[in-house]
Amino acid sequence: WASEELIVPYISPVDGRWHRYFPDFLVKVNTKTGPKTILLEVKPKKQTQPPKQQKRVTKKYITEVTTWGVNQAKWKAAEEYCLDRGWEFKVITEDHLGL
């Protein structure tokens, strides 16, 4: 396994420019069907769901919308990166960790 060793390029929806995404973990495991590579991102559950529409546009809401948009761009790039290599991409939250 490796932690934040891999770089996945993505275009940010905020500024339209290329950025570098460092997924949390790259894990290689042996399964009954052979070796498998999984790219993992660990996030709070709240950041894996779109923000709820607010009556007032607050600074907090703008930050949540921005974070959601950037995360979606990163994860789409990671999914494509993994698909090209025959890997799997997963986002895990505290629910997956039993917390």
Side-chain angles (χ1 to χ4, degrees), residues 37-39 77-89:
T37 302
I38 307 167
L39 197 57
E79 286 174 354
E80 290 172 5
Y81 186 92
C82 288
L83 185 62
D84 290 345
R85 289 156 179 78
W87 298 355
E88 186 176 342
F89 175 70

Side-chain angles (χ1 to χ4, degrees), residues 42-56:
V42 181
K43 283 286 184 217
K45 185 176 181 179
K46 184 175 182 169
Q47 289 183 12
T48 64
Q49 302 167 343
K52 293 180 182 168
Q53 182 70 36
Q54 302 290 321
K55 291 180 183 176
R56 289 186 16 198

Side-chain angles (χ1 to χ4, degrees), residues 4-47:
E4 296 187 357
E5 294 288 323
L6 188 72
I7 298 170
V8 177
Y10 74 98
I11 296 177
S12 171
V14 175
D15 61 11
R17 298 176 66 186
W18 285 99
H19 293 265
R20 299 184 316 162
Y21 166 42
F22 297 85
D24 292 323
F25 298 101
L26 176 67
V27 180
K28 294 182 181 184
V29 295
N30 288 321
T31 67
K32 291 180 181 179
T33 58
K36 183 176 184 179
T37 302
I38 307 167
L39 197 57
L40 295 172
E41 179 67 19
V42 181
K43 283 286 184 217
K45 185 176 181 179
K46 184 175 182 169
Q47 289 183 12

